[in-house]
Structures are given as structure tokens and as C-alpha cells.
Amino acid sequence: MADEIDYQIIGDDLQIVEVELDPGEAVQAEAGAMMYMGPGVQMQTSMGGESKGLLGGLKKGLKRALTGESFFITNFTHQGQGKGHVAFGAPFPGKVVPLDLSAMGGSMLCQKDAFLCAARGVEVEVAFTRKLGAGLFGGEGFILQRLRGDGMAFIHVGGTIVKKELAPGETYHVDTGCVAAFTENVSYDITWSRDFKNALFGGEGVVLATLTGPGTVYMQSLPFSRLADRIFAAASYQQNRGERRGAAGVGDELLGGLLGGDRSF
């Protein structure tokens, strides 16, 4: 049985989750996710699974590493009196999504680096896509995270979150990177674009994720990979601008800046 924890989500676009603990309760999180903790809360970092020996801890750590999380996991236990508080922040802009696993059939499949924190008793496991095509061409590859248990878990998604309750047989076609999480009864596959022109010039890629109900689906508007691509492109442009400085590159830089809307020169 997982600990019954209370929580509040703070903020709008750069959200954190603050967990309230009764004496003896604990919450677990990826190493490095903690933002602050109050008096009486004790922090202990481990591989997890040490109750089954060193080998059990190593297996747990390796499974988390495969899903994009850190090898170690940190437990925060309230050992004082009254209420204890500990807060966790995400590594990039987005939303914190609370998941009541007991209301979702006891498990949830998520993108491989979505886990933020969970009540003690919730397991973070590795899950593999069942179909070859979804693993090869889906945005998440073969490996997903499975959050299993009967308590509260919290994931972080990029941008804005959209939740859809799919009826039996209802299908959504989603950009592969925008699939954040879904219940295990949702069928996950990929679909090839039938129109080569749309795939080549439309900017939406050759394949889309296909999610078929019944079940719950969470989609994100700004996958980290998309954000990273834009930052890399902007950084590369600025670097190339710097390399063209000098008499020979003044005209090219001026024209490029005007066309790109850059008024910094």
C-alpha cells in the first residue's frame, strides 16, 4: 500500500508540486528534483530495492536508467511532528500532472523521462512497446516508463497538457513526441503518412502515433526534443553570425538581420 499524501501544485507554466507529509510518511523522487524541504523531513538517497539485497538494488537502478531517470532515487521521510513539506521542480518549462494510480487501474505508461515524484510504495518500472513499428518510429522508442501502485504519482510534461478520455474504438492520431502518458488499456501504434507531399513539406513527419481507446491519454504541446531543436537552431545561427563578422561579412550580416527581424545591430 502506498502512503496517502496531500499535495498542491504551485505556479502556471513553470510548476512545482509541494507534498504534505504526516509523521512517518514518505515521498520518492528522481535525484536532483527536490526544490526545498521543511523541518523534520529527512532525505536518503539509494538505488531502491535494497531490501532484496545488493543485486535487487542494482536491478532497480538499471531499470530507472533505461527509462531516462537517474540511477539513484531519493526518499524524503517526515520524521518530525505535525506536517512536513517537500517540493519538487521540473527541469524545463511545462506542467506537473497528478496521477491517482488507484483510479487508473493501478498503472500508467509514460514517456521515458516523465517521472517527477510519487508516494512511497509506487514503483517506477521499465516498459517496452509491444509492436516493432511503434518502437522503431514512435517518438518514445521501445522503452517507456510504467508507474505501478495504488498511490499518487506526479509526472512532468512540456508546455500545455491536454487530457482525452477515449471511448472504445475511438482513435486519435498524435505527433509522436506529443504523447506524454496513457493508461495501459489504450492501444499504442504508429501510422505512416499516406500523402508524401504532406510528410515532406508539411513539417509533421512521416509517422504519427495512433492511440485507440478505451482509456485515458495525456498529450503535451511542447516536447523537450522540439524545444531543444529550436534552441540549437538559434544558437547555431548566432554562432554563424559571429564567424562572419568583419569587412567581408558586414553586408551579409546586415541583410540576414533585417530579414530575420534582428534589430540588435
Side-chain angles (χ1 to χ4, degrees):
M1 295 289 294
D3 288 354
E4 295 183 10
I5 58 174
D6 297 317
Y7 69 92
Q8 65 170 327
I9 294 175
I10 303 171
D12 185 19
D13 293 323
L14 295 165
Q15 293 183 328
I16 67 169
V17 55
E18 183 184 270
V19 178
E20 183 178 89
L21 302 173
D22 292 326
E25 288 184 341
V27 61
Q28 56 184 341
E30 180 189 17
M34 190 271 290
M35 179 180 177
Y36 61 83
M37 58 182 181
V41 177
Q42 299 295 320
M43 177 175 61
Q44 183 178 14
T45 301
S46 67
M47 294 180 292
E50 283 87 348
S51 60
K52 298 181 180 179
L54 178 60
L55 184 59
L58 288 171
K59 287 182 178 178
K60 286 280 188 179
L62 289 172
K63 286 181 179 180
R64 282 193 303 273
L66 283 173
T67 64
E69 303 296 335
S70 60
F71 185 80
F72 294 94
I73 196 164
T74 306
N75 286 280
F76 299 84
T77 306
H78 181 34
Q79 298 181 350
Q81 302 296 319
K83 301 289 186 179
H85 297 89
V86 57
F88 305 96
F92 61 94
K95 303 290 186 182
V96 176
V97 182
L99 301 174
D100 184 357
L101 297 179
S102 63
M104 295 179 171
S107 67
M108 196 81 177
L109 293 175
C110 311
Q111 62 180 349
K112 65 181 181 179
D113 56 354
F115 174 71
L116 184 61
C117 62
R120 179 175 56 189
V122 172
E123 295 288 337
V124 182
E125 303 174 347
V126 62
F128 297 94
T129 54
R130 298 188 181 97
K131 297 187 178 181
L132 179 64
L136 287 174
F137 302 105
E140 307 308 327
F142 285 103
I143 297 174
L144 300 170
Q145 282 183 340
R146 177 183 286 112
L147 305 180
R148 186 191 298 276
D150 59 359
M152 291 298 304
F154 302 88
I155 62 173
H156 178 260
V157 301
T160 298
I161 188 70
V162 176
K163 179 182 178 182
K164 294 290 184 181
E165 296 289 349
L166 302 185
E170 184 179 8
T171 297
Y172 268 71
H173 299 286
V174 187
D175 182 276
T176 53
C178 292
V179 179
F182 50 93
T183 52
E184 292 215 46
N185 50 339
V186 172
S187 176
Y188 173 66
D189 205 345
I190 58 99
T191 300
W192 292 85
S193 174
R194 297 179 180 179
D195 191 326
F196 180 75
K197 182 176 65 175
N198 287 341
L200 187 62
F201 301 109
E204 302 304 331
V206 180
V207 297
L208 294 173
T210 301
L211 301 166
T212 304
T216 304
V217 174
Y218 290 91
M219 295 173 281
Q220 58 186 352
S221 66
L222 184 61
F224 180 70
S225 57
R226 187 179 297 177
L227 175 63
D229 286 344
R230 293 298 180 94
I231 294 174
F232 178 77
S236 298
Y237 172 73
Q238 291 297 330
Q239 182 179 7
N240 291 335
R241 278 191 63 197
E243 292 174 354
R244 289 198 302 270
R245 293 189 184 277
V250 170
D252 183 39
E253 181 178 347
L254 179 60
L255 179 60
L258 288 172
L259 293 175
D262 187 354
R263 297 181 175 84
S264 62
F265 51 85

